Amino acid sequence: VLTTVALSFEESQIASYLSIVPVCTFVSAFEIGPGPLPWAAAGESIPSQYKAGAQGLTVATNWFCAFIIGLIFPPMQENLDQYVFLPFAVICVLAVLYISSAMVETKGKTIEEVQEEYSNKTGCL
């Protein structure tokens, strides 16, 4: 959102350069926050005999999604101009809501305990 605001000042070259700061801040915060979450969640909630396949699926999904974002970003930027980051901001908010409601805390728990919590959350046995 801050990048969108900075890019809205088209006549200001300083604002254009300052628009890089929120992007770098987001990337840094993502890499120490939710970025590694797929690897951690797969490693801490799946039984040992399935970890290799689950980690492989996690990595493939992550890279596929990054590839898709790389493909759709240029056309989005052409159509949305400086507002191109707003759909991504909405997706980030939705992801935070999903993670906070659907994920379980795994710290200090066995895989069986984590799976039990997921079963209780989804109503499955």
Side-chain angles (χ1 to χ4, degrees), residues 5 13 18 21 25 36 55 58-59 61-62 77 79 84 90 106 112 115 120:
V5 170
Q13 190 173 5
L18 286 178
V21 174
T25 303
Q55 293 289 35
T58 299
V59 170
T61 302
N62 191 2
Q77 188 175 24
N79 293 320
V84 70
V90 170
T106 59
E112 292 78 19
Q115 289 176 336
N120 292 340

Side-chain angles (χ1 to χ4, degrees), residues 9-33:
F9 299 105
E10 294 178 9
E11 66 280 348
S12 173
Q13 190 173 5
I14 294 172
S16 296
Y17 286 117
L18 286 178
S19 68
I20 296 170
V21 174
V23 172
C24 292
T25 303
F26 171 78
V27 170
S28 300
F30 182 79
E31 291 303 322
I32 61 173

Side-chain angles (χ1 to χ4, degrees), residues 1 26 86-100:
V1 172
F26 171 78
L86 293 181
F88 295 108
V90 170
I91 291 170
C92 285
V93 169
L94 293 174
V96 165
L97 294 174
Y98 174 76
I99 290 168
S100 63

Side-chain angles (χ1 to χ4, degrees), residues 54-77:
Q55 293 289 35
L57 185 60
T58 299
V59 170
T61 302
N62 191 2
W63 278 102
F64 178 74
C65 291
F67 175 72
I68 294 299
I69 289 171
L71 283 178
I72 67 170
F73 188 82
M76 282 179 65
Q77 188 175 24

Side-chain angles (χ1 to χ4, degrees), residues 33-46 58 94-107 109 114-115 117-119 121-122:
L37 191 60
W39 283 273
E44 295 179 353
S45 61
I46 296 176
T58 299
L94 293 174
V96 165
L97 294 174
Y98 174 76
I99 290 168
S100 63
S101 67
M103 300 293 291
V104 299
E105 178 61 50
T106 59
K107 185 177 180 182
K109 296 179 185 172
V114 172
Q115 289 176 336
E117 280 193 53
Y118 276 122
S119 293
K121 232 175 196 196
T122 61

